[in-house]
Amino acid sequence: MKLVIISIFVLIVAVQMYIARSTQQTEQHAYKVIKKFDKFEIRKYEAALFSSVRLNKKGYKESSSEGFGILAGYIFGANDSNEKIAMTSPVIMELGDTSKMMFMVPKKYSVKDLPHPENSKIVFEKQEEKIMAAIRFDGWADDEKIEKYKSILKDELVKEKLNFSSKFTFLGYNPPYEVMNRRNEIVVELLNYKL
């Protein structure tokens, strides 16, 4: 019996290591770290194209499943050419009175190359290069943790006398079935930041 338990444990760890490796190989929104502080860092993000869907719901719990389902449907083939598009990381959620979820479009595509989505709620938007402050937390994300780290980041930015946007965004890097080494972040754009 002990051998069976050890074997199952080893199998679970091996599967999680494989999943973590595939997550690390997923194309990510590229950025360069400009400055590190004790609790957060400042990054310069490259311009990128995103597929997005706006939801008339408030908060992470209410919005995440619906938004993910719509955008995942599109990249898994719910488009006019039934084309599968690679998943990218992180999944981005702007949270406020309404929510917006975004997936970065792989770099090999331009708007004219992308298949047309079957779901009319999906739109494509180009975001220019920007300077962001980011704070990281581990484990599973929920509305309470998101608010906690948003508050910590806000306090740190005020302490450092950095001007920032009112729009905070959640970044989730791991698929739901990845249980080890989960990475979550709260980011906000810095205003008038001098490099």
Side-chain angles (χ1 to χ4, degrees), residues 34-141:
I34 294 169
K35 189 171 182 182
K36 288 184 177 246
F37 293 82
D38 185 37
K39 294 183 181 174
F40 73 100
E41 61 187 23
I42 297 174
R43 302 170 177 169
K44 181 180 181 182
Y45 278 88
E46 289 183 2
L49 178 64
F50 295 87
S51 58
S52 70
V53 61
R54 191 166 292 283
L55 306 159
N56 292 321
K57 294 183 176 176
K58 188 175 182 174
Y60 174 79
K61 185 177 180 181
E62 275 192 43
S63 309
S64 57
S65 292
E66 182 183 351
F68 190 88
I70 292 169
L71 293 177
Y74 170 69
I75 68 169
F76 295 152
N79 54 64
D80 62 359
S81 58
N82 298 317
E83 182 178 346
K84 291 191 173 23
I85 299 165
M87 183 69 192
T88 58
S89 179
V91 172
I92 301 165
M93 284 195 73
E94 292 178 1
L95 301 169
D97 292 333
T98 61
S99 306
K100 180 165 71 171
M101 181 171 274
M102 299 188 291
F103 289 1
M104 186 185 78
V105 173
K107 283 184 184 176
K108 70 177 187 175
Y109 291 96
S110 67
V111 175
K112 62 180 176 50
D113 301 326
L114 284 165
H116 188 74
E118 289 177 1
N119 190 319
S120 61
K121 289 183 179 179
I122 296 173
V123 297
F124 299 105
E125 56 185 85
K126 177 84 185 267
Q127 292 194 359
E128 297 306 321
E129 182 179 272
K130 55 177 78 171
I131 306 296
M132 310 282 280
I135 189 169
R136 182 174 174 164
F137 63 97
D138 301 326
W140 297 91

Side-chain angles (χ1 to χ4, degrees), residues 160-173:
E160 297 295 336
K161 298 181 173 55
L162 293 166
N163 295 321
F164 54 93
S165 162
S166 60
K167 186 165 53 177
F168 286 76
T169 302
F170 167 75
L171 308 180
Y173 286 82

